[in-house]
Amino acid sequence: MAKKECITQLSTTGATSTLRNRKTFPTSVKVPRAPPKDRSGPPAAHLPEGDPRSVDGASARPPAGGDASKGPSGLLMLVVVLSFSTRLYKITEPPHVCWDETHFGKMGSYYINRTFFFDVHPPLGKMLIGLAGYVTGYDGTFPFMKPGDKYEHHDYWGMRGFCAVLGSFLPIFAYLIVRELSQSHTAALITATLLIFDTGCITISQYILLDPILLFFIMAAVLSMVKFDQQRYRPFSWYWWLWLLLTGASLAGALGVKFVGLFVILLVGLHTVWDLWELLGDLSLSLVDIAKHFLARVAGLILLPLFLYVTTFAIHFAVLNKSGPGDGFFSSAFQSRLVGNNLYNASMPEYLAYGSTITVKNLRIAGGYLHSHWHLYPEGVGARQQQVTAYLHKDYNNLWLVQRKDDNDSRSGTPDLVRHGDVIRLEHKETTRNLHGHLHAAPLTKKHFQVTGYGVNGTGDTNDLWQVEVCGGQKGDPVKVLRSKVRFLHRATGCVLYSSGKTLPKWGWEQVEVTCSPYLKETPSSQWNIEDHINPKLPNISLSVLKPHFLEILLESHIVMIRGNSGLKPKDNEMNSKPWHWPINYQGLRFSGVNDTEYRVYLLGNPVVWWVNLAGLGLYPIMVAVASVALQRGFSLGQKRRGITFDVLLKSTDLLLRPPYSDWLQRLGQVALLLSVLYSFYLFHPLSYGMTGPLAHEPGSAMAGLKWMDSWEF
């Protein structure tokens, strides 16, 4: 199910303005075009009225509307107090695991214990959660098994508190962004109020989750970009560099938490391209000056974020150096660097040879080890022969003997190396049956062929023969342990050994289906590598010489994460939602509790906030269209400014009434909006802070009458 995140689009920005100081021009009079932009500015003595530049390139005076960085500082303090108090209130309640705390709390514990794990997201968010737990006394011993488990004596408050603190900055950042863009304290206060009293934003900020961390970096990146833009008349000043570098650092943070951070990178990137395009049109700048601007942005917005992003992975790999539940998702070479893994500091022959005992690992995520056991396929599932599966864990039944195609006892012969193009047999060590393929349909993937164990003591038939193919290799190339990607082509049918990733029913012990695929395209599902390798007739080498270097494991980790993301699907019986559900607040999500005896928390946005936001998104293009038509018809709209939809709408009351009545109507509209948000928060705040007792549809419920939509399940 998609995760609900705070909506900040209420401060929709764009080029619009109020219909003020209206003035018509005769049709015969041409409206003069503005002169080309000159960022260097005219001499101070000849600055035109309203020009914000001075002779030294610094801002001579603020734009119309007043200096947003000055004014009522008490408003900012009010926003800070309200934001932190609403997020930190009842932060320890409920004292049990809620929703995805099972995942991200557990991952924080892994960092404290230095245990390697796999997740589809980059590591920064989980590292910060683990660090927050560590510095506040959490020892990493709580198992985080399932929602509802009691925390008891474990210090979980630090991890929740850290996420809540970062979530508390969202309204503050929104206030500062809108104040800078609109030069309006009223617009900034309205924006902050909408976020402060949004029950959805509060709920998502109060638990051990990645969402508040991600939103913190996204909002920080936007704020830094806006602040940097405000320094455009002071290029290469100290503050100019500060906000440029903070923008880059925030971009690295957003991407380092989740890959959806790419969207804010796209936003900043497009803004930067436009900014450079405008600089190119500034004829007061030499090409050298433009080159300096370009290189500064490359350094601050590309090289710095890339360096910080890669550094988080370096720390991630350095901290998680112990074998753990994530081992099986990565290659054997990767696993050889993890303390406690059977490949760590191990020694074995470097090249595969006949007579060797091996394990064969599939390269897809959760592809498993080639495995067999005494159990047969059930009646009606292909041939009733011995099952061959892929098993995700180390096991004795993962062992296979490498045999020549025409020699049943190659173990007594010379240990010749297995090479690209060789035809071999793989004999299961425990059951002595050969890896076998035929034209019967596979159990689950019906377009593939079944793979079985067949024969006795290595004696079988021609359907037991497999040709070894080293991916990217040439005929005669040896097979390297851990490093070579190998495919096994079935000689009789021409198909390739394949791990489908599908889970077999109980008769298959819920292991992974192995098939023979007639589709020969190279994919991780059809690629394998030799992991364990035992052959006493060959010299051993230390696997430390085969350990991958940092860039290799960095690349592999990204490949695994991308494949993991692409393979995410809702589990059976798991509630999921459609994209259109979220903008209209159609459906919430249970964080805790389902019945009247449990402490219930329900993620649902403040209805007034969300629906007003939806209305604002609809009004904005209409207002832009009206303003554009008015300009085209010769109306003077006053000094242009970036529009905050509802602020501009309310300040346009002078279209209907004369002062002071227009001012009264404006104030009335602002007060009505704020009071409706506050009243809605008063009604729905139990959803965020927890409730017990009767459900909403039962008599005596504190939420009686508030189930405005049947899809709300509180």
Side-chain angles (χ1 to χ4, degrees), residues 181-253:
L181 290 176
S182 68
Q183 303 296 314
S184 169
H185 291 283
T186 303
L189 182 61
I190 290 174
T191 304
T193 301
L194 294 172
L195 285 178
I196 288 172
F197 296 107
D198 176 34
T199 49
C201 194
I202 291 172
T203 305
I204 207 73
S205 298
Q206 286 197 309
Y207 297 92
I208 306 171
L209 303 172
L210 296 184
D211 302 79
I213 308 174
L214 172 67
L215 290 171
F216 171 85
F217 283 115
I218 289 176
M219 294 286 281
V222 175
L223 175 61
S224 300
M225 179 186 71
V226 170
K227 287 284 192 179
F228 173 70
D229 192 56
Q230 298 297 320
Q231 299 294 320
R232 61 188 178 277
Y233 296 118
R234 305 172 184 173
F236 307 107
S237 65
W238 189 88
Y239 280 108
W240 187 92
W241 278 109
L242 173 65
W243 290 115
L244 175 65
L245 297 179
L246 284 177
T247 303
S250 300
L251 294 179

